[in-house]
Amino acid sequence: MPSLNVTFTDEELEEVRAAAAAEGKSLKQYVHDLPLRERQRRQFVRYAASWGETHRAEFDDAFPDEIPPGARERGADAA
């Protein structure tokens, strides 16, 4: 199985150890899970941004006072 050696400063390693302990994981498991969690976070953010764009008109209709001033000006020019 492939492996990876990662170098940390003493301070960084202490921070990573503390984070692992806070999650109740071993250091090895915590470092293993980090890139997987980051991939899931990016996927969630992409979906959330896409969902927001899809439903922007509904939000703008329901909350007209919440439209940012720049968007209001563009909307007035487009009308």
Side-chain angles (χ1 to χ4, degrees):
M1 180 180 331
S3 65
L4 177 67
N5 289 327
V6 180
T7 304
F8 294 100
T9 65
D10 291 339
E11 293 82 16
E12 291 169 337
L13 186 56
E14 281 308 309
E15 289 178 22
V16 175
R17 279 192 174 125
E23 290 196 16
K25 294 182 177 181
S26 69
L27 183 59
K28 185 176 179 178
Q29 187 64 51
Y30 182 80
V31 173
H32 170 270
D33 291 351
L34 283 176
L36 306 176
R37 288 171 46 183
E38 177 60 17
R39 184 179 67 202
Q40 291 171 339
R41 185 196 67 80
R42 285 193 314 266
Q43 182 180 2
F44 173 83
V45 169
R46 278 193 308 270
Y47 174 78
S50 172
W51 188 92
E53 287 300 317
T54 300
H55 296 280
R56 180 183 300 275
E58 294 172 48
F59 182 89
D60 290 347
D61 290 344
F63 304 100
D65 294 337
E66 298 297 325
I67 299 173
R72 258 186 249 129
E73 293 166 9
R74 284 192 304 267
D77 292 344

